[in-house]
Amino acid sequence: KFVFDERCERTLVLGTSRDLQELLQTVLKILGNIREHPAEPKFRKLRCGSKLLANKVLAKPGGRELMTHLGFRQDNDAVDPHVELKDAASVVTAISSLETFAATPRTEELVELAIRLPTGLALKAAFARHETVRDVARYVGRYYAAARAWIPSTTTVPGRAPRKFDTEDLLAQTLAEAGLLRAVVVFVSADVSAKQSAAEAAAEKARKEGLERERDEKRQKLEKERKLRQDVLNKKRDRVQQRADALRHFKGDREDKSERVERERTASVQRRRTSSNDTPRVAEPRSGGVHTLQDRPHQNDDGNGDETDDYDY
């Protein structure tokens, strides 16, 4: 009995209805030829370079998954690469299942997710809005090798920051609740997730240490600037004080000098007064305007003591 697997169902509906119908009709034609001519190998062997296989099957969403599920295996022969159906026992049931699948209307709104795996593989799959994030993880783990250890660690949604789904509550969210109606889901292994968590913790620690260093450097810079400003103020204050001291000393010197000058002036006046008291008195003027001095004996230059009248009149 032929039964569609989940991978075929989730990839076949990624394209448009026209793409899906063209793909199913082409595959049904291939299977019909095999059913009509079961003993002829040429109908079970399809060249990879043929336009029928390349354009109408492998190029359609879900085409490769469907051919693999039907039993076709690729032979990468250097001369003639092709796909071949080794066992045709299930061809009849496969045709019936494909016809039923093609005739079934699809009214449920689906969400197309792009999935990236740790191996570098990128794939797409369709999910219903009510399915959970855990359903996405189970789908990946069911069909891809070593994927059971993978978890949906981060998601990238256009216009939103990446999120982690690493708890049971987050994994139980529906795609609509999680906001994954159109997103890129990135899976990482549990070991990678643990390493990533450790790396994130180390990065956070380094970030905090960096912030603390920046704060310390800022404090040191502010303290240095404060000291420089204080030194400038101290120097300015010292200059003002020196100027005030210089003015005060200058004023004191001027006062001392003024007092000294005043004393000298007073002494000079006193000496002139004393000198004027010692000077001979002048006689009253006589008639004719001739002044005479009191007649008193004078010594001649020769010391004879003769009275002379050497005065000029």
Side-chain angles (χ1 to χ4, degrees):
K1 183 180 179 179
F2 179 84
V3 178
F4 273 104
D5 69 350
E6 185 181 4
R7 180 163 49 177
C8 285
E9 292 180 348
R10 293 193 182 279
T11 55
L12 285 172
V13 295
L14 290 173
T16 63
S17 299
R18 181 178 178 179
D19 289 336
L20 178 59
Q21 291 301 321
E22 186 176 6
L23 169 63
L24 294 177
Q25 289 173 6
T26 304
V27 173
L28 284 171
K29 182 178 180 180
I30 294 172
L31 295 178
N33 290 334
I34 296 174
R35 182 182 60 182
E36 296 296 330
H37 308 278
E40 296 186 23
K42 68 176 184 179
F43 291 103
R44 297 197 306 269
K45 186 177 180 180
L46 304 172
R47 290 186 302 106
C48 294
S50 67
K51 293 183 178 180
L52 176 68
L53 181 64
N55 297 334
K56 294 189 176 183
V57 177
L58 300 181
K60 303 297 183 182
R64 293 180 179 274
E65 289 81 2
L66 178 58
M67 295 297 284
T68 301
H69 185 58
L70 289 171
F72 286 88
R73 296 296 179 263
Q74 185 169 351
D75 185 354
N76 294 322
D77 191 331
V79 178
D80 185 22
H82 60 274
V83 295
E84 184 177 1
L85 180 61
K86 299 292 185 179
D87 185 7
S90 62
V91 170
V92 176
T93 56
I95 292 174
S96 175
S97 298
L98 284 176
E99 290 174 344
T100 303
F101 185 82
T104 303
R106 287 164 183 82
T107 59
E108 186 177 20
E109 184 179 358
L110 300 177
V111 177
E112 178 182 330
L113 293 182
I115 300 172
R116 296 176 186 172
L117 304 182
T119 59
L121 181 64
L123 53 107
K124 291 183 179 181
F127 294 87
R129 295 169 59 94
H130 60 79
E131 292 186 275
T132 65
V133 180
R134 183 181 286 107
D135 292 330
V136 179
R138 287 174 178 171
Y139 166 72
V140 173
R142 188 178 298 117
Y143 291 100
Y144 296 93
R148 295 185 183 277
W150 298 344
I151 59 173
S153 175
T154 60
T155 61
T156 302
V157 181
R160 294 173 57 182
R163 297 176 56 193
K164 285 186 177 181
F165 295 90
D166 51 2
T167 65
E168 290 298 322
D169 292 339
L170 293 176
L171 289 172
Q173 288 182 323
T174 66
L175 299 181
E177 292 172 345
L180 302 182
L181 300 183
R182 188 172 185 84
V184 177
V185 182
V186 181
F187 282 76
V188 297
S189 66
D191 294 339
V192 172
S193 180
K195 292 179 180 179
Q196 183 180 13
S197 299
E200 290 177 354
E204 180 65 17
K205 181 179 179 181
R207 187 185 68 83
K208 290 182 179 179
E209 291 177 352
L211 291 176
E212 185 64 26
R213 285 195 299 271
E214 289 179 1
R215 285 193 291 267
D216 291 341
E217 292 175 356
K218 187 175 182 180
R219 283 195 295 267
Q220 293 176 3
K221 182 178 180 181
L222 292 175
E223 181 64 19
K224 185 177 180 180
E225 292 177 352
R226 188 191 65 80
K227 288 182 178 180
L228 289 175
R229 290 194 299 269
Q230 188 63 39
D231 291 342
V232 171
L233 291 175
N234 291 338
K235 290 179 179 180
K236 184 176 181 180
R237 189 182 298 110
D238 292 341
R239 289 196 298 270
V240 172
Q241 184 64 36
Q242 291 174 1
R243 183 178 179 183
D245 293 341
L247 290 174
R248 185 169 55 254
H249 291 313
F250 178 73
K251 182 178 180 181
D253 291 343
R254 288 189 62 184
E255 291 177 352
D256 293 342
K257 186 175 181 180
S258 298
E259 292 177 359
R260 187 171 61 254
V261 169
E262 183 65 21
R263 287 194 300 271
E264 290 177 355
R265 188 181 67 79
T266 304
S268 176
V269 171
Q270 185 67 30
R271 284 194 299 274
R272 286 198 298 270
R273 289 178 179 176
T274 303
S275 176
S276 63
N277 292 334
D278 294 339
T279 302
R281 291 177 297 177
V282 179
E284 292 294 333
R286 298 180 181 179
S287 60
V290 179
H291 297 275
T292 60
L293 297 175
Q294 291 181 347
D295 294 333
R296 61 185 182 89
H298 287 268
Q299 297 291 333
N300 290 331
D301 290 338
D302 56 5
N304 293 327
D306 294 337
E307 293 182 1
T308 62
D309 294 324
D310 293 335
Y311 301 100
D312 296 330
Y313 296 96

